[in-house]
Amino acid sequence: MNTDEMHLSIFDSTEHRGIKNILTRNFRDLVTYRYAIYNFISSNLRARYRRSALGFLWTLLNPLFTMAILAIVFSTIFESSVKNFSIYIFSGLLPWTLISNSMTIGSMSLVFGEGYLKKVYVPRFLFPLVTVGVEVVNFLLSLVSLFFVAFLLGAKISWGLLTLPFALILTALFILGLVLIVSILTVYFRDLSHITQISFTALFYLTPIVYPIELLSNSSHLLTVIKLNPFFYFVELFHTIIYQAKVPDISLWLVCLGLTTVSLILGFIVFSSREKDVIYRL
Amino acid sequence: MKTFIQSENVSVKFRIYHNSAPSLKDAVFTQLNRLMGKKNRDNFTEFFAIHHLSLDINSGDRLGIIGLNGAGKSTLLKTIAGIYAPHQGRIVVSGRMTPLMELGAGFDPEQTGRENIYLNGTLLGFSPVEMKARELAITEFSELGEFLDLPVKYYSSGMYGRLAFSIATMTDPEILLIDEVFATGDAHFVEKSSQRILQLVEQSQIVVIVSHNLEQIKNLCNRVIVMDKGVILKDGEPQEMLDYYTQNIINVH
């Protein structure tokens, strides 16, 4: 709070006529409210594990057990080796949890933010952003347990791992764009939060996470459906980097980059065109 | 940089929905009806809470806003604070604002009083380091002692108010926005907080107060506006405005 500039607030009804104005305001808010964002994320994480005996350890144990159960069940079904399959499942489940949790929790983020939005000025994007932020931190914590297990199971370590941060950043930004959209729409149509939840249950099975994609090699219809599912490509990034221990193809990167760009632009347009109206609808 | 609030031709309108929230089904049918060329029956009415309001508030102003219930006073204050976005016109505010409007605004009930000091501070744009420097003053003023380490959901409304008040008043505002000066807690704290309010009004560059307590307005303000139905009826010297208000508005109703 040292510069005078930070204390200038402009609430302009004609702002939507200039993208530059909106970008400037959002950027300024991002800087001013950076501590608030950090505070919301950390208190959110603390609240999740408050009063549980094992506390933060759950962030490591929860994905570990989920993965172990899925690995045992599905490796039995597919008659494949549990050892290998565990790493496969975990490397897909991790980004999937990031995606589906962000979407299902994020869709209600503005609705739950009502208590703040109606009483103090808070940048509206803060709530969707915090949701994604919390899930990214959870992802990183789960990653720790993944590496622990992978190491025990004797997974290969490759240079591909160095591209993991980029895969995470792309996925997080992709999902941020979508959460911006779904959080605004849910304010208008509360039913959407249920629809989102159900959709992601369905999408879970439309993404090769608990089964190998080779399983579908003789069903071209299903394969087409899966390739229309944008989340497939992001999960593939993690499969390639962690499970196959390779650097993903440039084509896969480009598809993800393209999807991320579209999602961010759409998210920005939808969010900034409606965000000022939100307070009147909560 | 100068401290000022500039409101140019601002309008804020509210919709009252006759059926609660529009569901997906309603929205789909509305769109279908529109496509088929059928007219939708309006399920809401609109009214202007603030209508074409222009107002300049400058450094040194202690502005009191008076008017009957529903005149738009609180809406105006919330629009200045940035909570409501204007549907027309614009508001430019230069200076750090501290809203003293609703009890426990920006509190997380699950977090302790101490954690809420930081949460609230960061929402006002302060860094944790800046709040650390104020923590002692806040905790001392609030006199909450060991309760500060209890989640605020266990607080009584008096304790809640004390904490909220202490935080808001220890953040050296340049612009102070006060809605219905809340005096909460026991007699001792009420006395202490009214003194603190007086002190703050002295220190702040701009103070905007919404109140039904005309005595308080007279004591604190050097300028008063009278509002009715979203517009400013009169703007001027406190005594003159208060007389006008009691004679022409209160007595007429």
Side-chain angles (χ1 to χ4, degrees), chain B residues 21-199:
Chain B
S23 70
L24 190 61
K25 191 183 84 189
D26 294 337
V28 169
F29 277 111
T30 312
Q31 291 304 323
L32 278 179
N33 277 344
R34 192 180 293 169
L35 279 178
M36 315 247 281
K38 271 191 223 160
K39 205 170 171 284
N40 286 302
R41 63 195 162 82
D42 282 344
N43 61 349
F44 61 83
T45 33
E46 278 188 343
F47 74 94
F48 282 95
I50 298 180
H51 208 185
H52 297 301
L53 187 142
S54 295
L55 177 67
D56 278 343
I57 310 172
N58 297 306
S59 188
D61 279 358
R62 276 92 187 84
L63 179 75
I65 307 178
I66 54 178
L68 299 171
N69 282 328
K73 310 179 298 288
S74 296
T75 309
L76 176 60
L77 208 59
K78 284 188 165 186
T79 312
I80 292 173
I83 296 168
Y84 292 129
H87 289 101
Q88 270 170 20
R90 69 175 202 158
I91 292 191
V92 182
V93 182
S94 167
R96 181 172 46 230
M97 283 185 277
T98 296
L100 213 63
M101 299 197 289
E102 239 171 299
L103 213 59
F107 270 22
D108 180 353
E110 293 294 329
Q111 296 195 48
T112 67
R114 204 176 296 281
E115 286 168 330
N116 268 299
I117 293 177
Y118 287 87
L119 174 65
N120 222 270
T122 53
L123 282 177
L124 290 170
F126 288 93
S127 73
V129 177
E130 287 169 308
M131 287 315 287
K132 183 90 201 154
R134 291 171 170 78
E135 190 185 320
L136 190 66
I138 293 171
T139 53
E140 272 180 2
F141 193 84
S142 71
E143 298 176 16
L144 283 168
E146 57 195 12
F147 290 112
L148 273 168
D149 295 306
L150 212 65
V152 297
K153 64 179 172 184
Y154 298 122
Y155 281 23
S156 69
S157 60
M159 290 158 74
Y160 217 85
R162 267 153 66 175
L163 183 62
F165 185 88
S166 308
I167 298 172
T169 56
M170 290 300 165
T171 46
D172 28 76
E174 292 167 345
I175 299 175
L176 192 61
L177 306 174
I178 309 175
D179 196 347
E180 290 297 344
V181 180
F182 46 78
T184 53
D186 45 35
H188 158 71
F189 197 78
V190 169
E191 169 63 26
K192 196 169 141 183
S193 51
S194 357
Q195 273 174 18
R196 180 77 188 130
I197 289 263
L198 279 174
Q199 203 183 336

Side-chain angles (χ1 to χ4, degrees), chain A residues 194-214:
Chain A
H194 299 283
I195 296 172
T196 311
Q197 274 188 31
I198 297 165
S199 312
F200 275 86
T201 309
L203 280 165
F204 177 69
Y205 293 99
L206 282 176
T207 314
I209 296 167
V210 289
Y211 57 86
I213 190 159
E214 292 79 33

Side-chain angles (χ1 to χ4, degrees), chain A residues 13-14 49 57 112 118 133 156 175-176 178 181 189 192 221 224 243 248 256 273 282:
Chain A
S13 64
T14 60
Y49 304 101
L57 212 55
F112 286 150
K118 278 195 170 167
K156 283 175 284 181
I175 210 67
L176 178 64
L178 296 185
I181 298 172
F189 318 114
L192 204 60
H221 288 305
T224 319
Y243 174 65
C256 291
S273 70
L282 282 170

Side-chain angles (χ1 to χ4, degrees), chain A:
Chain A
M1 303 295 289
N2 299 320
T3 53
D4 286 339
E5 214 186 338
M6 271 187 197
H7 300 286
L8 190 71
S9 330
I10 300 169
F11 311 115
D12 192 343
S13 64
T14 60
E15 186 198 51
H16 59 272
R17 291 180 201 151
I19 270 197
K20 210 180 129 214
N21 295 342
I22 301 177
L23 282 175
T24 317
R25 173 176 52 83
N26 282 330
F27 182 72
R28 189 192 301 234
D29 277 349
L30 194 64
V31 174
T32 311
Y33 287 87
R34 62 190 185 280
Y35 301 113
I37 294 168
Y38 172 79
N39 202 325
F40 270 112
I41 292 178
S42 73
S43 64
N44 210 309
L45 287 165
R46 264 181 285 135
R48 215 175 265 198
Y49 304 101
R50 183 167 290 170
R51 293 196 192 175
S52 58
L54 295 179
F56 252 114
L57 212 55
W58 277 117
T59 50
L60 308 179
L61 293 178
N62 193 322
L64 215 61
F65 283 118
T66 315
M67 181 216 57
I69 294 165
L70 288 174
I72 292 168
V73 171
F74 286 95
S75 62
T76 318
I77 294 175
F78 300 126
E79 296 173 346
S80 72
S81 94
V82 187
K83 207 170 153 183
N84 231 332
F85 210 60
S86 308
I87 300 175
Y88 175 78
I89 286 191
F90 210 176
S91 63
L93 200 60
L94 224 57
W96 181 260
T97 311
L98 167 66
I99 290 166
S100 80
N101 277 5
S102 299
M103 286 297 281
T104 48
I105 301 171
S107 88
M108 288 299 276
S109 59
L110 280 171
V111 176
F112 286 150
E114 177 180 346
Y116 294 101
L117 289 165
K118 278 195 170 167
K119 290 180 179 173
V120 280
Y121 174 77
V122 204
R124 270 107 352 183
F125 67 73
L126 186 136
F127 298 97
L129 184 66
V130 164
T131 310
V132 178
V134 168
E135 293 310 320
V136 167
V137 176
N138 262 328
F139 175 96
L140 291 172
L141 292 168
S142 308
L143 197 66
V144 175
S145 41
L146 166 67
F147 281 134
F148 180 68
V149 173
F151 181 72
L152 279 185
L153 294 173
K156 283 175 284 181
I157 298 201
S158 80
W159 288 110
L161 278 181
L162 292 177
T163 62
L164 196 64
F166 300 102
L168 176 60
I169 291 168
L170 268 186
T171 312
L173 290 178
F174 172 69
I175 210 67
L176 178 64
L178 296 185
V179 172
L180 285 175
I181 298 172
V182 79
S183 64
I184 281 274
L185 293 182
T186 306
V187 173
Y188 292 87
F189 318 114
R190 302 288 163 103
D191 316 47
L192 204 60
S193 80
H194 299 283
I195 296 172
T196 311
Q197 274 188 31
I198 297 165
S199 312
F200 275 86
T201 309
L203 280 165
F204 177 69
Y205 293 99
L206 282 176
T207 314
I209 296 167
V210 289
Y211 57 86
I213 190 159
E214 292 79 33
L215 201 74
L216 306 172
S217 49
N218 47 12
S219 162
S220 61
H221 288 305
L222 261 180
L223 218 53
T224 319
V225 172
I226 283 178
K227 292 208 165 142
L228 284 174
N229 165 11
F231 304 107
F232 161 71
Y233 300 95
F234 290 92
V235 172
E236 257 331 87
L237 277 183
F238 292 89
H239 273 154
T240 320
I241 295 170
I242 300 171
Y243 174 65
Q244 296 177 7
K246 282 195 296 205
V247 178
D249 282 348
I250 187 80
S251 57
L252 185 59
W253 285 113
L254 286 178
V255 171
C256 291
L257 189 65
L259 286 168
T260 301
T261 314
V262 172
S263 135
L264 275 182
I265 290 174
L266 273 180
F268 178 76
I269 292 173
V270 171
F271 201 81
S272 51
S273 70
R274 306 265 23 135
E275 63 164 324
K276 291 182 172 175
D277 191 44
V278 160
I279 187 72
Y280 300 102
R281 303 303 180 100
L282 282 170

